[in-house]
Amino acid sequence: MALGRWGLKRQNFHLLRRRRRALLLKLTVVIISVLLFCEYFIYYLVLLRCHWPEVKTLADGGRQEPVLKAMFLADTHLLGEIRGHWLDKLRREWQMERAFQTALWLLQPEVVFILGDIFDEGKWSSDQAWADDVQRFQRMFRHDSHVQLKVVIGNHDVGFHYQMSKYRIKRFEKVFGSERLLSLKGVNFVMVNSVAMEGDGCIICSEEEAELREISRKLNCSQEQVPGSSQCDREPEPRLPLSAPVLLQHYPLYRASDANCSGEDAAPPEERNVPFEEKYDVLSREASQKLLWWLRPRLVLSGHTHSACEVLHPGGAPEVSVPSFSWRNRNNPSFIMGSLTSRDYALSKCYLPFEDTVLTTYGAAAGFLMILILVHFEHLPSPFLCGWKLCRLHMRR
């Protein structure tokens, strides 16, 4: 009798242990599957919907023009040592790294432009904090040698006009370069330090304007059809391609507000009618007119507002404000994909995974795990437990 009870207890013990192992296996499979989906595979599933826009490539004479594939993103705002919780920093940097690396692998751009505010605390970070931030940026936005990465100065990188200094600018340019004019496949890009377009005659501002006037002169020389101009022909450097430039900067050109902006990634309705402050939210009217007059761009791309907007400026120059690339600033980050030739361009927007989707998936998984645990310990209400058992019985049949 005692031997029989002992054998029954042993059998129950082994059965309980097998059930616990099965529960642990189920929990492990669900947790790993959800983590892989939300932190890795979701970026591929979402970015697979993005495609390069088609652009006309037939030039005069029937020859095919080369097409440049460029990505434009803005306002990554990598947190520094002062602001933001460490968990928030870890989470946002992982999201941006996975999104960027997935985009590079799937879309294969030739050049990537980041339109300022790559750091959140560059305006006041120490040299050691700056070096740490740069190291993290270079890890997150690593790329193959055949892909060019160009960065435009933003106010959080070197400070607003009253905080900006030559030291901070040199520190930035030492890492990211001081290039203002870039030509790729016959497409001219002008990258402006818009923080220096204050117009108050400061040394940094004067130097920036002088450099832009020189770029304007080079662009004008490239448009001369008949050689023989005494000034342009004496240039030691070859002429730029005959192509109106694409203007890249952090601050948007002047606009009164975002009232005319629309789309799911535009500013919230309650913020669209809030007037913009010149030299803080957007460039001043005067600085905007200077840039449009000097450079006569065919396209302007900017950041800073963290929201999308499309504006048509006097003279017909369209401007596209690129939303923030960071989930810390938006629930629905995105970037712009551009197919450009020397004469034409086409743009499309590529959305990243919505934060709400990821959080909803985690919430649903947590609920499912709770049900598994309650079913295992038979702590669910009787009707629910009975239904669960009937469902399992039906599935086995």
Side-chain angles (χ1 to χ4, degrees):
M1 186 74 175
L3 185 62
R5 283 199 298 268
W6 180 82
L8 183 61
K9 287 182 180 179
R10 184 175 181 183
Q11 183 179 2
N12 290 337
F13 172 75
H14 286 300
L15 179 62
L16 181 62
R17 188 166 63 176
R18 282 198 298 270
R19 289 185 63 193
R20 287 180 177 175
R21 285 178 179 174
L23 175 64
L24 184 60
L25 179 61
K26 291 176 184 177
L27 296 179
T28 303
V29 169
V30 171
I31 291 173
I32 292 177
S33 299
V34 171
L35 283 173
L36 285 174
F37 174 77
C38 290
E39 305 300 332
Y40 194 81
F41 291 117
I42 192 171
Y43 297 99
Y44 289 90
L45 293 174
V46 172
L47 290 175
L48 276 171
R49 298 179 298 180
C50 301
H51 301 282
W52 292 103
E54 295 292 331
V55 65
K56 185 175 67 175
T57 61
L58 197 61
D60 294 340
R63 65 181 180 85
Q64 291 284 341
E65 284 194 292
V67 178
L68 177 69
K69 294 181 178 179
M71 274 175 49
F72 304 92
L73 50 110
D75 295 277
T76 54
H77 283 273
L78 272 68
L79 294 173
E81 63 179 4
I82 300 173
R83 296 175 60 179
H85 191 272
W86 67 268
L87 184 59
D88 185 28
K89 181 192 299 186
L90 182 68
R91 173 71 181 151
R92 303 312 178 192
E93 291 182 5
W94 169 258
Q95 288 174 314
M96 287 191 286
E97 180 177 355
R98 287 311 328 142
F100 184 77
Q101 295 302 325
T102 305
L104 286 188
W105 190 80
L106 289 177
L107 303 174
Q108 299 289 311
E110 296 169 271
V111 60
V112 179
F113 294 98
I114 304 181
L115 305 179
D117 278 4
I118 58 174
F119 302 118
D120 194 63
E121 302 175 12
K123 55 187 177 181
W124 57 53
S125 61
S126 65
D127 287 347
Q128 183 58 52
W130 170 264
D132 293 341
D133 292 346
V134 167
Q135 186 177 27
R136 286 176 16 247
F137 172 86
Q138 291 174 338
R139 184 199 74 240
M140 293 166 55
F141 293 91
R142 62 191 180 275
H143 53 90
D144 292 335
S145 57
H146 66 271
V147 179
Q148 296 193 50
L149 177 65
K150 302 295 180 181
V151 180
V152 177
I153 291 177
N155 57 288
H156 276 266
D157 301 317
V158 299
F160 284 97
H161 176 259
Y162 61 89
Q163 296 172 308
M164 179 179 58
S165 66
K166 278 197 169 183
Y167 173 76
R168 289 195 181 100
I169 291 176
K170 292 297 182 185
R171 183 173 70 175
F172 183 92
E173 291 178 343
K174 183 178 180 181
V175 176
F176 301 106
S178 59
E179 204 169 17
R180 292 287 185 270
L181 179 62
L182 175 68
S183 294
L184 295 171
K185 288 190 171 182
V187 182
N188 296 319
F189 296 95
V190 179
M191 295 173 284
V192 175
N193 176 8
S194 52
V195 185
M197 295 301 295
E198 187 77 7
D200 63 350
C202 75
I203 295 176
I204 298 175
C205 302
S206 299
E207 290 177 351
E208 181 71 17
E209 291 194 7
E211 189 168 2
L212 289 173
R213 285 194 294 269
E214 175 62 17
I215 291 174
S216 173
R217 189 189 63 77
K218 290 181 178 180
L219 290 169
N220 289 335
C221 286
S222 71
Q223 296 176 15
E224 289 188 358
Q225 300 297 320
V226 181
S229 170
S230 58
Q231 185 178 10
C232 294
D233 283 348
R234 292 199 194 103
E235 290 291 329
E237 300 176 359
R239 290 192 183 186
L240 296 172
L242 178 57
S243 175
V246 176
L247 174 58
L248 306 176
Q249 58 187 33
H250 181 63
Y251 284 140
L253 296 176
Y254 174 80
R255 60 177 183 260
S257 67
D258 271 351
N260 295 322
C261 305
S262 60
E264 59 182 306
D265 54 354
E270 64 274 12
E271 297 179 10
R272 293 181 193 177
N273 292 311
V274 177
F276 281 151
E277 181 181 344
E278 294 185 46
K279 304 180 181 181
Y280 186 83
D281 298 308
V282 293
L283 289 180
S284 66
R285 293 175 186 263
E286 180 185 0
S288 301
Q289 290 169 357
K290 283 181 178 179
L291 289 173
L292 291 173
W293 173 251
W294 288 340
L295 303 174
R296 302 185 186 277
R298 55 174 166 150
L299 174 65
V300 182
L301 289 145
S302 60
H304 189 57
T305 65
H306 298 174
S307 300
C309 190
E310 295 183 14
V311 181
L312 189 63
H313 292 286
E319 178 178 6
V320 176
S321 289
V322 182
S324 174
F325 192 71
S326 173
W327 281 262
R328 195 168 188 264
N329 298 322
R330 305 194 56 81
N331 175 54
N332 56 342
S334 61
F335 58 89
I336 299 294
M337 300 168 60
S339 300
L340 304 100
T341 67
S342 62
R343 300 189 178 198
D344 201 2
Y345 67 87
L347 304 178
S348 66
K349 186 172 293 181
C350 182
Y351 286 96
L352 302 177
F354 281 37
E355 184 94 286
D356 288 350
T357 303
V358 176
L359 295 178
T360 301
T361 304
Y362 276 129
F368 181 70
L369 291 175
M370 185 61 66
I371 291 173
L372 279 180
I373 295 171
L374 292 176
V375 167
H376 176 78
F377 292 105
E378 299 186 350
H379 287 169
L380 285 175
S382 298
F384 191 96
L385 188 59
C386 181
W388 177 274
K389 289 180 177 179
L390 287 175
C391 181
R392 291 185 62 188
L393 183 62
H394 178 72
M395 290 175 64
R396 286 176 180 174
R397 288 179 180 176

